[in-house]
Amino acid sequence: MRAVSLVPSLTEAVARTVPGVLAGATDWCAHPAGLDVVRVGGTKNPQVERIVSLAPDLVIANEEENRAPDLDALRAAGVEVLVTEVRTVPQAFGELARVLAACGARSRPRWLDEAEETWSALAPPARRRTAVVPVWRRPWRVLGRDTFAGDVLARLGVDHLYAGHPDRYPKVTAEELRAARPDLVVLPDEPYRFTAADGPDAFPGLPCALADGRHLTWYGPSLAGAPRVLGRALRAARR
């Protein structure tokens, strides 16, 4: 089995579970550290010809992360493409199991069981808070409807205020975000790298939580530690 992954979180899951299967991955596939495979461009601009030249048995993709024209081009070249859809935590577990089985995993990995057990054992949040969750700046974009990260936060007691927006990642001005009067602002370090010096400055007087983007948006081995890591960040939110 030779696979190419166009999804960073799935790259980590496959590399950890079935070492040696991956022949290629995107430039953004940073985990596991030291992954030695051919790099095939970005998630939004993969090098189709280079992928085809690797003669993969399977290309792993995601309906949100990857563009349909690129996946169609791979299929036209005779490459099998497995497209995942992950918009909730339970859906992530199902799709991870499907991907790993397609990549030749002989059994369900222990890390996946541990991640599912961790999320199943979560106690109901002691209180609920509202938030806005920017994912980009210049222009500002936030989590909208039907997102994996939104479901992660909801399970941790944080209801983001644009969950009912018709767009999944609506463009909203900073003025509108402040006027929404959230209890806090969640600022992940990916896809835009928000930091203590870049992000909180736009929300004076509002508590800001700097969140690890991998634990908020990735569905893979990081899921097991996500409640702990994100919970700590949410508790540390500062004005």
Side-chain angles (χ1 to χ4, degrees):
M1 163 64 71
R2 286 169 60 81
V4 172
S5 174
L6 302 181
V7 187
S9 55
L10 296 177
T11 297
E12 181 180 17
V14 172
R16 178 164 170 176
T17 306
V18 278
V21 161
L22 287 176
T26 76
D27 298 343
W28 300 105
C29 294
H31 294 273
L35 180 66
D36 184 16
V37 297
V38 175
R39 300 296 172 162
V40 296
T43 58
K44 305 298 185 189
N45 57 344
Q47 299 166 6
V48 172
E49 291 184 2
R50 190 169 197 183
I51 295 171
V52 173
S53 74
L54 293 173
D57 300 298
L58 183 69
V59 169
I60 304 159
N62 175 263
E63 50 91 29
E64 178 180 343
E65 294 233 24
N66 309 118
R67 302 185 316 129
D70 296 319
L71 305 184
D72 289 342
L74 288 166
R75 294 188 185 99
V79 177
E80 182 178 351
V81 180
L82 186 160
V83 181
T84 58
E85 180 183 294
V86 179
R87 302 192 183 188
T88 68
V89 172
Q91 195 175 23
F93 296 129
E95 291 289 67
L96 282 162
R98 182 165 74 103
V99 167
L100 295 174
C103 288
R106 295 183 178 179
S107 60
R108 185 182 171 94
R110 180 58 189 155
W111 65 259
L112 185 54
D113 288 337
E114 290 174 351
E116 192 160 10
E117 290 163 7
T118 296
W119 282 94
S120 297
L122 278 183
R127 60 169 177 147
R128 302 203 69 84
R129 290 181 287 175
T130 61
V132 293
V133 190
V135 294
W136 203 257
R137 186 173 189 171
R138 306 180 190 93
W140 289 94
R141 288 190 182 274
V142 298
L143 290 187
R145 65 168 179 85
D146 209 15
T147 65
F148 173 74
D151 188 57
V152 166
L153 289 172
R155 292 169 187 273
L156 298 177
V158 177
D159 302 310
H160 71 94
L161 293 176
Y162 288 85
H165 196 281
D167 297 331
R168 295 186 71 194
Y169 298 97
K171 186 189 299 184
V172 186
T173 68
E175 291 76 15
E176 290 175 286
L177 296 178
R178 290 191 293 267
R181 300 181 64 82
D183 294 324
L184 74 159
V185 180
V186 179
L187 297 168
D189 60 8
E190 63 175 81
Y192 184 92
R193 188 171 181 77
F194 288 106
T195 67
D198 185 356
D201 57 291
F203 304 99
L206 285 175
C208 291
L210 295 173
D212 184 292
R214 177 167 165 260
H215 287 91
L216 179 61
T217 65
W218 287 36
Y219 29 89
S222 59
L223 273 170
R228 172 180 51 81
V229 172
L230 295 172
R232 185 171 59 234
L234 294 170
R235 290 190 298 272
R238 296 181 178 180
R239 295 181 185 274

